[in-house]
Amino acid sequence: MRYPEFLKKGGRVGFIAPSFGCTTEPYRTRFNAALSFFEAHGYTAVTGPNCFRDDGVGKSSTPENCADEINDFFLNDRCDIIISCGGGETMCEDLEHVDFDGIASGAPKWFMGYSDNTNLVFPLTTICDTAAVYGPNAAAFGTVPVHESIRDALSLLSGDKLSFTNYEKWEKEGYPDDAPLTASYNCTEPFSMKVFVPESGGLSESSKVAFSGRLLGGCLDCLSALCGTRFDKTSDFCEKYKEDGIIWFMEACDLNPMGIRRTLWQLKNAGWFQYVRGFIFGRAYRYDDDFCGMNRINAAAGILSQYGVPVVMDVDLGHLPPMMPFISGAQADVVCVDGRFTISYRPEWK
């Protein structure tokens, strides 16, 4: 596994828009505030040409323009790390024009983003054998006050912190429309996860579990689109690292409980979970959806119980903030005890 160098003091932070750019509110105001945030912390902000564009379909610009921006920031000496402006809908279309061979042979750079950015985080790991961060998009750094989770993401990118524990509360509903454009997360709900452990051929709830492995995952909505395409090198990746075992981290945006169940069935039958050591799920964006007794919890647990590994649900990951930064491709140790979730990364890059 290739690990990029961590961000140094005075380093350059590159911003690209392979998915949506920052052209509408509150994202434009937050992104400008984020640029000021990084500059105030002694970094140089470098923006790509698509950051303020909106001539694409479900993203900032055309697939060709978005891929050109990706290639430029990865292959040329434009910046030291890269953060995506935002999520979106059709980033998968960029992949046909991304120079993955060049990225795989060049000096690695940290890339961070989530949601639609699964379409780069996941291939960077599985195609380029390069670690990437599934974490907050750029605009989140422009919120006030800056949430602890955002500071954690920067601490990871700078190599100052390698172990993270869940946050006390999470945001179920955002602030009303008349709130300040840079308002931080409206965290009102106490953190509460569900831990399932293997028992008698199924799963039972537990108050504690610990497991280790190499992380892989992202947004299920995007993973399902990648599955079976020429950009799907998942089985090869899992075979290469089978001795480590794979910890799958996943979350869902548009998928309802039945959609989650169908997608997990698809990935299961594509052979993605062959060497799994454990599953971690973030809070589904459609958190309260229930269809004929099927909710976000039993949709996942019902499909995955056959693997005989722990399943942890409703952690700080994904579309209902805050979220901890997950290093795709890294070896990690997970500990759940007394209602607290902790993930620690093994510094195998040293």
Side-chain angles (χ1 to χ4, degrees):
M1 177 58 56
R2 304 192 321 154
Y3 290 94
E5 290 189 14
F6 289 113
L7 180 65
K8 296 180 175 64
K9 294 296 183 184
R12 300 164 298 167
V13 182
F15 298 93
I16 62 175
S19 193
F20 274 137
C22 295
T23 59
T24 60
E25 297 295 3
Y27 305 106
R28 187 181 184 94
T29 295
R30 290 180 180 177
F31 181 56
N32 283 323
L35 299 180
S36 298
F37 170 88
F38 280 99
E39 289 170 351
H41 282 74
Y43 302 108
T44 299
V46 182
T47 57
N50 298 327
C51 291
F52 296 104
R53 295 183 69 168
D54 62 354
D55 57 308
V57 177
K59 56 178 171 284
S60 61
S61 192
T62 64
E64 292 83 358
N65 286 340
C66 289
D68 285 346
E69 187 180 56
I70 293 170
N71 294 334
D72 181 25
F73 273 64
F74 270 98
L75 300 178
N76 297 316
D77 188 25
R78 295 282 302 261
C79 60
D80 301 306
I81 69 166
I82 305 168
I83 302 177
S84 177
C85 280
E89 301 293 342
T90 60
M91 187 176 165
C92 55
E93 297 175 5
D94 302 351
L95 301 184
E96 299 167 53
H97 312 284
V98 173
D99 184 3
F100 286 113
D101 288 338
I103 293 173
S105 61
K109 295 178 183 179
W110 285 114
F111 173 78
M112 184 170 73
Y114 85 106
S115 189
D116 203 26
N117 293 285
T118 298
N119 288 292
L120 191 50
V121 171
F122 194 78
L124 281 172
T125 306
T126 55
I127 296 176
C128 302
D129 206 33
T130 301
V133 181
Y134 195 77
N137 298 323
F141 290 88
T143 53
V144 180
V146 177
H147 190 272
E148 179 186 359
S149 62
I150 306 304
R151 297 191 183 278
D152 276 351
L154 181 55
S155 294
L156 174 62
L157 291 172
S158 60
D160 294 327
K161 187 174 181 179
L162 298 176
S163 183
F164 303 89
T165 299
N166 66 271
Y167 309 103
E168 290 187 8
K169 294 184 177 181
W170 59 279
E171 178 186 276
K172 190 173 185 181
E173 300 289 343
Y175 286 110
D177 293 340
D178 59 355
L181 293 176
T182 57
S184 187
Y185 301 141
N186 181 32
C187 295
T188 60
E189 309 300 308
F191 177 81
S192 179
M193 66 180 173
K194 287 189 177 293
V195 177
F196 297 95
V197 296
E199 183 178 88
S200 302
L203 294 173
S204 64
E205 281 200 60
S206 177
S207 62
K208 61 182 179 180
V209 74
F211 53 97
S212 302
R214 193 172 292 274
L215 289 166
L216 189 61
C219 181
L220 278 171
D221 308 51
C222 302
L223 294 176
S224 65
L226 291 172
C227 183
T229 69
R230 62 187 173 96
F231 305 103
D232 179 4
K233 306 300 181 183
T234 311
S235 294
D236 293 341
F237 178 88
C238 294
E239 189 69 33
K240 179 177 180 178
Y241 293 107
K242 64 182 179 181
E243 297 303 320
D244 301 328
I246 306 298
I247 298 175
W248 281 93
F249 66 92
M250 295 176 282
E251 51 103 8
C253 180
D254 294 331
L255 297 175
N256 61 21
M258 288 299 183
I260 292 172
R261 188 177 178 91
R262 284 192 297 268
T263 300
L264 291 174
W265 178 91
Q266 176 193 16
L267 302 186
K268 179 188 79 169
N269 282 282
W272 283 22
F273 302 149
Q274 184 176 2
Y275 300 112
V276 65
R277 292 278 180 85
F279 294 96
I280 301 170
F281 283 86
R283 293 176 289 267
Y285 190 62
R286 300 177 65 161
Y287 185 81
D288 290 323
D289 277 16
D290 188 298
F291 183 79
C292 298
M294 181 68 62
N295 59 33
R296 70 189 187 285
I297 301 295
N298 54 30
I303 284 286
L304 303 178
S305 61
Q306 72 180 73
Y307 288 99
V309 299
V311 178
V312 185
M313 307 286 300
D314 288 352
V315 305
D316 288 331
L317 165 68
H319 287 76
L320 291 176
M323 67 182 299
M324 293 181 290
F326 279 70
I327 305 180
S328 178
Q331 291 196 73
D333 301 309
V334 175
V335 177
C336 303
V337 61
D338 297 331
R340 294 179 66 81
F341 176 94
T342 299
I343 185 165
S344 303
Y345 299 110
R346 299 182 187 177
E348 57 182 330
W349 47 81
K350 291 185 179 181

